[in-house]
Structures are given as C-alpha cells and as structure tokens.
C-alpha cells in the first residue's frame, strides 16, 4: 500500500544515524511542515534542494529555478530555519548559477550571503549551471570562490561535480578549500568509492577493486532492500 511504502521511505533505522532528508518545492507553506514532519520521523538534518535541473521541476519553479529567484529562496530558507529546532542543521544544495550570464553568477554570491546571514549551517555547491544540467565540465574555480565566502561566515561547504574517483575527490578538496565532497553520479554502480576515499584520506593504499564475490553480496543486499521497499514485482 502507499501508506506502507511511505513508512518505509521515511524509516530511519538505528544504524542510519546521522541521516538527512532533502526537501524540494517553492512554497514555504508546504516546505516548512514537510521539514518538521521529517524531523519527527527521526532525521538528523534537513537539506533544501535549490539545484535540481530537471525540466519538469524547473517548470514548477522548484529546484534550480530558485537560483534566479533569490527573495523566494531566502524566504524558504529563513522560514525553515526558524521552524526547526536549533539542534537540527539546515543545509542547502545549490548550483554555480542558473545560466552562464555574469548576472546569474552574481546571484549565487548574493544568495550565499543571504543564506549565511539566515543561519544556514552548510552549503553543497555543484560546479555547473542549472542550464548545463550534466553536460560539460564542473567549474571548481567558482566552488573555490564560494568556499572563501562561506568560511568567512563560519559556515561549511561541500563541493560537487565530476567526482568519479577517490583520487579526484581528494585533489578537488585540496585545490578548492572546501570542507568535503558530495558524491553523486560517481557512486552509481560503484559504492566502493567511499571505501577508496576513506583509505586515501587516512594515508592508506588504495584498496583493490571489489571481487566478484563482494559484488555479488552487495547486489544481493541491494535486492533485499529494494524488495523490502517496493515489493517483489517492482524490485
């Protein structure tokens, strides 16, 4: 049933902590109660998505559309921050701008300033414009510039974009000055990237690629979780 699936989607198990939930929309009257509801379900962090480049999302003024509507974006962030308990961090997912125009890039820094003044705890910045979606190459120069601003306000920033290997992740963190990285497409089909990053970060050698047996066990676990969530036919 849909109710059962909703409970599974929102279930936070003991070994999941710390665990965050992302909310997307453009109406603070909907987003605020959704964020409070998610905290009630046990999520430890709320993330607002102001970055999604999917056309059906943009057409409804959501996701990346908020990169060019700074007043609305700041209103949403402020109302969510005020509605959440102080112990719950609020983070924002952004892209470098809506498009490549100089005015759009200026809006990023206007938005960042406003978010940090509101009391947003962290920002994840993807180095592409909303219009670029996933084409071209992520611009880590803008990520580095944003890191300087965020750190000047005592905030935390994660960088994102074209992170497909552990070596690249650590290089981008060092070069840009961000506090960490958000792995997205680089983890699809390769959950071992996190193990590899941890090894290099700790100064250990890069682990060997996963064996066939190890891949099989991960696929089995993925199947088990999918069946639990979606039921046998859809899994």
């Amino acid at each position: 049933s849909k109710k059962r699936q909703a409970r599974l989607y929102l279930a936070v198990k003991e070994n999941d902590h710390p665990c965050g939930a992302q909310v997307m929309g453009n109406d603070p009257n909907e987003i605020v109660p959704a964020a409070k509801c998610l905290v009630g379900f046990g999520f430890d962090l709320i993330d607002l998505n102001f970055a999604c480049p999917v056309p059906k999302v943009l057409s409804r003024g959501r996701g990346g559309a908020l990169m060019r509507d700074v007043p609305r974006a700041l209103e949403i962030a402020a109302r969510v921050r005020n509605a959440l308990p102080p112990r719950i961090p609020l983070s924002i997912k952004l892209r470098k701008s809506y498009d490549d125009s100089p005015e759009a890039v200026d809006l990023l820094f206007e938005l960042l300033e406003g978010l940090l003044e509101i009391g947003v705890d962290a920002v994840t910045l993807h180095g592409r414009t909303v219009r670029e979606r996933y084409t071209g190459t992520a611009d880590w120069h803008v990520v580095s510039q944003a890191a300087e601003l965020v750190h000047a306000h005592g905030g935390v920033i994660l960088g994102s974009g074209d992170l497909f290997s552990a070596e690249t992740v650590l290089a981008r963190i060092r070069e840009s000055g961000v506090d960490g990285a958000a792995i997205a497409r680089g983890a699809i089909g390769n959950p071992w990237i996190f193990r590899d990053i941890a090894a290099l970060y700790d100064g250990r050698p890069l682990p060997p690629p996963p064996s066939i047996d190890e891949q099989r066990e991960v696929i089995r676990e993925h199947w088990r979780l999918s069946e639990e969530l979606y039921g046998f036919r859809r899994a």
Side-chain angles (χ1 to χ4, degrees), residues 39-80:
V39 171
F41 273 99
F43 287 94
D44 306 297
L45 172 147
I46 297 298
D47 183 72
L48 299 178
N49 187 327
F50 295 172
C52 180
V54 176
K56 68 178 181 180
V57 170
L58 300 179
S59 67
R60 300 177 70 180
R62 300 177 174 183
L66 291 163
M67 292 292 304
R68 58 178 181 177
D69 190 351
V70 171
R72 174 59 64 93
L74 293 179
E75 179 191 2
I76 291 169
R79 289 184 56 181
V80 172

Side-chain angles (χ1 to χ4, degrees), residues 190-202:
N190 183 27
W192 296 275
I193 190 171
F194 300 105
R195 177 192 66 181
D196 294 349
I197 293 167
L200 293 187
Y201 184 82
D202 290 339

Side-chain angles (χ1 to χ4, degrees), residues 4 45 70 77 79 108 125 156 163 165 192-193 235:
R4 176 181 173 276
L45 172 147
V70 171
R79 289 184 56 181
L108 167 67
L125 182 60
V156 172
L163 300 177
S165 72
W192 296 275
I193 190 171

Side-chain angles (χ1 to χ4, degrees), residues 5 29 35 40 46 106 157 162 177 210:
Q5 280 199 352
N29 294 318
I46 297 298
D106 288 343
I157 181 168
D162 297 339

